[in-house]
Amino acid sequence: MGWNFKLHGGVAVGLGATLLLLASLTWLPGALPLTDARWLMAAIFASLFLAFVSALVRLLLTGADKHAIWLAFRCLPSKVQMTLGALALWGVVLLAFSTATEGNLQAAEVRDGRYVAFDTTPHTRGMVEISQRHYQDVLESDQRTMLAIPGMLFLGAAYAALTAGELRRADGAVVPSDIT
């Protein structure tokens, strides 16, 4: 596998693990300091778009079917497979616990000195006033989701990039039958 596939996959794994770690830190009391910055979310989604789309294009250019892609992933070193699997499991568990405990409130904000959030309960949709404690809980839940989902997508980009590199390596190792 070429160094650029390894670099692409490594950066994607690193960014995904960092985002999952930040999402896990939202379980601690208090909001994370930098996650309210709009530029940070824009930077995350811009880098995610570049990493994910380029990894998918690399994978599509190999022309392999699903079975060949799975076999190529299985040919990666076991440490790489275990790392990607463990991080993906961590992300799934994090998202499952987050969605199970978040309730029906989203997008908390302060308006005119009052804490409000969007209530998604059927028949009562709209902005409702909440306490400061609930405001902090909704903020943490929103942060957790906004960090965990891109983290999981970065892991998907790493899977695609590393698998495409393995497919490319395997294709280069095949000797055509007409050359003896």
Side-chain angles (χ1 to χ4, degrees):
M1 170 181 342
W3 64 271
N4 58 354
F5 289 99
K6 290 178 187 178
L7 180 66
H8 188 175
V11 168
V13 166
L15 289 173
T18 301
L19 289 176
L20 289 178
L21 176 64
L22 288 173
S24 297
L25 289 176
T26 61
W27 289 107
L28 297 176
L32 294 176
L34 283 178
T35 54
D36 288 338
R38 300 274 185 225
W39 64 268
L40 180 63
M41 286 299 157
I44 288 172
F45 284 109
S47 59
L48 175 64
F49 179 76
L50 292 174
F52 196 76
V53 168
S54 61
L56 285 180
V57 166
R58 284 180 150 190
L59 194 58
L60 290 174
L61 287 177
T62 62
D65 62 347
K66 286 188 247 182
H67 183 69
I69 291 171
W70 176 247
L71 290 177
F73 176 73
R74 296 288 306 202
C75 290
L76 289 172
S78 60
K79 288 182 182 180
V80 174
Q81 291 178 31
M82 291 300 290
T83 301
L84 282 174
L87 287 172
L89 181 63
W90 178 21
V92 167
V93 168
L94 185 66
L95 283 173
F97 279 127
S98 177
T99 56
T101 61
E102 78 180 11
N104 296 325
L105 299 176
Q106 299 175 354
E109 57 184 75
V110 179
R111 286 188 184 168
D112 301 325
R114 298 180 315 157
Y115 300 104
V116 295
F118 186 75
D119 189 2
T120 60
T121 306
H123 307 295
T124 59
R125 294 183 70 92
M127 298 302 277
V128 294
E129 188 170 348
I130 56 175
S131 67
Q132 183 179 8
R133 182 180 159 284
H134 280 96
Y135 170 76
Q136 290 295 328
D137 292 341
V138 173
L139 273 184
E140 290 174 0
S141 176
D142 286 349
Q143 287 176 351
R144 192 173 307 116
T145 303
M146 290 303 293
L147 293 170
I149 290 173
M152 292 291 290
L153 290 173
F154 270 119
L155 294 177
Y159 168 82
L162 293 172
T163 303
E166 188 62 26
L167 284 166
R168 187 71 60 127
R169 184 200 60 78
D171 286 346
V174 173
V175 177
S177 60
D178 60 342
I179 297 177
T180 54

